[in-house]
């Protein structure tokens, strides 16, 4: 993390070629000239679920200029496609907005060669900014940090579950492998899938550091190299599309849900961030804990101060709450530690082998039910506010406080992160910094969606709730 070189989001191989660009009549390349049938414009809603519109390749130029019409009510879709009208500004079925392709992020999909993929930005019908556009929220936080002389990088560890596709469509979990974790035999069980996935990710411009069989049955993980926050969020969505396509090609089904089966380990999408000033990583080269500079420590302290409200955005679903348990390395308590995998904020210091740029902070309670743009916006807002306020972090905790007494945890300022929707939303509502970063309109829609999810799950068996989220992401 930190000082690693940036990589172009449009990768080699399956991208639109330079020749295609030179022959293009539109700013984002001519998909039709490249042999593409359609372009899928993708955004993520307030449940972290990708939504999309696909336009024929010949209409892509028009879409770049004028966008595609969509309902504003996507902002108040719940996780199961119900629409809540409890957020008054979006309280009727009337209205329209435009979905605009981010044309310089156009990628021809390696696993779906007849289609191209591009992230979308939501704007008002007249083309002006729309307060519910999650990508715009992140862009504003990146700009705010830059105005203070701060640059951030972000990267993801993406865990997912692979099941054998069911012929009868019952949606049961049939893990592709349930033997020893982390070994070559687990990778051998998905050999052809893994080969295609790595090739497709590379061709789609998603740089990957490593890929392995993870701890749970049928669980795997790869990490995405660090990039600027908006590119990181775009890549996260593109990586999902790439995984799903590769899984389908091999008769498998991929599930990114925070918890796939009650009682098992879950899938986190651990979010790593670093902060720099004038090209120097503030999380290394200092005399603070783990080698942090004073400003680097303030960035971490800002994350710790606002952690309960951050987690309401980065791990917001009922499935997230069921995943987040002490002792599962998923971040159940409000504390930080140096290379402590039980900590919600795990500080990864620089080392002589990896260099100063490697230092970063890993947020453990982060998963697929988070909108990636909002998640990063909340993290940046909290960390930058910590730098502005000159905060100092408490001492790191190198143990698992889950085994401590309540009094000992209280003495260290450690408390359990929210365990109910009501608690999470109370933390979000009470936090002026995170609310201001997201915007009051978007927070209102986000809260309404979370409450709709909670109402839908009321009285249902916990295992049934887990199953209902299993294949959403």
């Amino acid at each position: 993390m930190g000082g690693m070189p940036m990589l172009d989001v449009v990768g080699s191989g399956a991208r639109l070629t330079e020749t295609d660009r030179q022959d293009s009549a539109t700013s984002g390349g001519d998909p039709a000239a490249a042999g593409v049938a359609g372009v899928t414009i993708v955004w993520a809603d307030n449940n972290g679920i990708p939504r999309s519109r696909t336009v024929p390749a010949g209409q892509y130029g028009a879409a770049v200029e004028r966008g595609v019409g969509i309902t504003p009510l996507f902002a108040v879709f719940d996780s199961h496609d119900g629409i809540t009208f409890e957020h008054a500004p979006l309280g009727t079925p009337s209205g329209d907005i435009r979905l605009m392709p981010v044309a310089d992020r156009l990628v021809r999909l390696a696993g779906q060669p007849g289609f191209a993929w591009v992230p979308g930005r939501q704007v008002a019908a007249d083309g002006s900014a729309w307060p519910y556009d999650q990508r715009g929220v992140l862009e504003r936080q990146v700009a705010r940090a830059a105005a203070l002389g701060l640059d951030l990088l972000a990267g993801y560890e993406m865990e997912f579950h692979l099941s054998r596709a069911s012929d009868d469509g019952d949606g049961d979990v049939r893990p592709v492998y349930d033997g020893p974790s982390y070994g070559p035999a687990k990778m051998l069980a998905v050999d052809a899938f893994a080969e295609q996935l790595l090739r497709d990710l590379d061709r789609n411009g998603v740089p990957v550091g490593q890929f392995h069989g993870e701890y749970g049955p049928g669980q795997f993980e790869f990490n995405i190299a660090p990039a600027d926050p908006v590119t990181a969020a775009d890549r996260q969505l593109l990586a999902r599309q790439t995984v799903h396509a590769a899984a389908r090609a091999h008769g498998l089904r991929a599930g990114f849900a925070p918890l796939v089966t009650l009682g098992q380990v879950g899938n986190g999408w651990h979010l790593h961030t670093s902060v720099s000033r004038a090209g120097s990583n503030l999380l290394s080269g200092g005399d603070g804990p783990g080698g942090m500079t004073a400003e680097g420590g303030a960035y971490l302290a800002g994350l710790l101060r606002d952690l309960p409200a951050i987690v309401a955005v980065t791990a917001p679903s009922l499935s997230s709450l069921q995943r987040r348990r002490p002792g599962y390395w998923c971040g159940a308590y409000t504390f930080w530690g140096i290379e402590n995998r039980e900590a919600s904020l795990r500080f990864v210091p620089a080392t002589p082998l990896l260099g100063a740029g490697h230092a970063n902070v890993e947020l453990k309670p982060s998963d697929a039910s988070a909108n990636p743009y909002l998640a990063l916006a909340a993290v940046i807002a909290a960390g930058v506010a910590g730098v502005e306020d000159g905060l100092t972090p408490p001492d790191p905790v190198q143990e698992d406080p889950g085994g401590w007494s309540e009094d000992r945890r209280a003495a260290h300022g450690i408390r359990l992160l929210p365990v109910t929707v009501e608690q999470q939303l109370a933390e979000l509502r009470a936090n002026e910094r995170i609310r201001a970063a997201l915007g009051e309109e978007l927070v209102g829609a986000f809260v309404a969606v979370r409450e709709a999810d909670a109402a839908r799950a009321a009285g249902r068996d916990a295992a049934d709730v887990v199953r209902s989220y299993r294949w959403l992401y």
Side-chain angles (χ1 to χ4, degrees):
M1 303 292 297
M4 294 183 66
M6 299 293 185
L7 293 170
D8 186 358
V9 73
V10 180
S12 61
R15 67 180 176 184
L16 298 178
T17 66
E18 192 60 34
T19 299
D20 295 330
R21 293 177 188 275
Q22 291 169 356
D23 291 342
S24 166
T26 65
S27 61
D30 183 353
V36 168
V39 179
T40 299
I41 310 167
V42 178
W43 77 102
D45 70 8
N46 286 326
N47 312 289
I49 296 173
R51 308 286 183 177
S52 69
R53 287 286 191 270
T54 297
V55 297
Q59 295 298 313
Y60 178 65
V64 169
E65 292 180 7
R66 298 188 293 274
V68 177
I70 61 173
T71 173
L73 295 179
F74 277 115
V76 287
F77 268 50
D78 68 21
S79 295
H80 297 85
D81 290 351
I83 300 173
T84 175
F85 290 101
E86 295 303 312
H87 175 58
L90 298 176
T92 76
S94 300
D96 197 57
I97 60 171
R98 308 300 290 179
L99 178 65
M100 307 292 294
V102 184
D104 63 352
R105 299 294 169 102
L106 184 67
V107 176
R108 183 171 182 175
L109 292 170
Q112 300 169 256
F115 290 89
W117 179 100
V118 67
R121 178 181 288 110
Q122 301 160 78
V123 301
D126 62 1
S128 61
W130 195 56
Y132 302 93
D133 175 48
Q134 297 92 349
R135 199 174 197 275
V137 169
L138 176 56
E139 289 170 339
R140 288 193 294 275
Q141 288 307 304
V142 171
R144 174 172 171 261
L148 297 170
L150 301 174
D151 295 308
L152 293 107
L153 293 179
Y156 282 93
E157 296 176 51
M158 296 181 66
E159 294 175 336
F160 63 99
H161 172 90
L162 277 180
S163 270
R164 302 189 187 281
S166 172
D167 291 333
D168 55 15
D170 62 7
D172 279 353
V173 173
R174 295 174 173 82
V176 294
Y177 185 82
D178 58 2
S181 301
Y182 303 111
K186 189 165 189 175
M187 291 297 293
L188 186 62
V190 295
D191 186 62
F193 162 81
E195 177 185 354
Q196 178 174 341
L197 179 60
L198 289 176
R199 293 187 190 280
D200 288 353
L201 287 167
D202 179 59
R203 291 169 180 166
N204 287 347
V206 181
V208 170
Q210 56 84 28
F211 180 32
H212 65 270
E214 251 292 342
Y215 188 80
Q219 189 182 40
F220 296 83
E221 178 191 299
F222 61 90
N223 64 35
I224 302 176
D228 69 272
V230 178
T231 296
D234 287 345
R235 284 177 175 169
Q236 191 241 60
L237 290 180
L238 179 54
R240 284 200 238 188
Q241 183 83 11
T242 308
V243 171
H244 282 303
R248 183 193 63 178
H250 295 276
L252 303 174
R253 191 174 193 185
F256 296 111
L259 200 59
V260 174
T261 302
L262 195 65
Q264 292 281 2
V265 298
N267 295 315
W269 284 3
H270 304 157
L271 178 55
H272 294 253
T273 58
S274 65
V275 59
S276 299
R277 186 185 292 282
S280 296
N281 190 343
L282 298 176
L283 297 174
S284 64
D287 56 7
M292 286 184 283
T293 67
E295 285 193 308
Y299 175 81
L300 186 147
L303 299 181
L304 186 62
R305 175 176 65 179
D306 290 336
L307 188 60
I310 292 172
V311 171
V313 180
T314 63
S317 69
L318 290 163
S319 187
S320 306
L321 291 167
Q322 290 165 314
R323 167 182 173 260
R324 199 166 63 235
R325 296 155 287 169
Y328 279 78
W329 293 9
C330 54
Y333 290 98
T334 59
F335 76 101
W336 79 280
I338 300 173
E339 292 287 21
N340 185 344
R341 285 175 168 79
E342 186 63 31
S344 293
L345 294 171
R346 170 191 170 220
F347 179 63
V348 183
T351 67
L353 179 63
L354 296 175
H358 180 73
N360 67 88
V361 180
E362 176 191 24
L363 175 67
K364 288 281 189 178
S366 169
D367 60 51
S369 67
N371 179 290
Y373 304 98
L374 297 184
L376 274 163
V379 166
I380 292 170
V384 168
V387 175
E388 287 183 300
D389 293 343
L391 300 184
T392 301
D395 291 336
V397 174
Q398 300 305 106
E399 303 174 43
D400 178 0
W404 294 2
S405 68
E406 288 287 354
D407 288 344
R408 187 182 177 191
R409 284 196 292 266
H412 284 79
I414 296 173
R415 61 190 176 101
L416 195 65
L417 282 165
V419 296
T420 67
V421 172
E422 293 76 15
Q423 290 173 0
Q424 288 214 131
L425 294 183
E427 294 286 355
L428 179 58
R429 288 185 174 107
N431 192 296
E432 294 183 3
R433 286 175 293 275
I434 303 303
R435 282 204 340 263
L438 302 187
E440 291 299 333
E441 297 96 332
L442 195 145
V443 169
F446 186 88
V447 167
V449 167
R450 301 279 71 78
E451 290 176 338
D453 275 358
R456 182 186 293 270
R460 295 174 63 184
D461 177 75
D464 184 44
V465 173
V466 167
R467 283 192 296 271
S468 74
Y469 283 86
R470 183 176 291 157
W471 307 114
L472 296 184
Y473 310 102

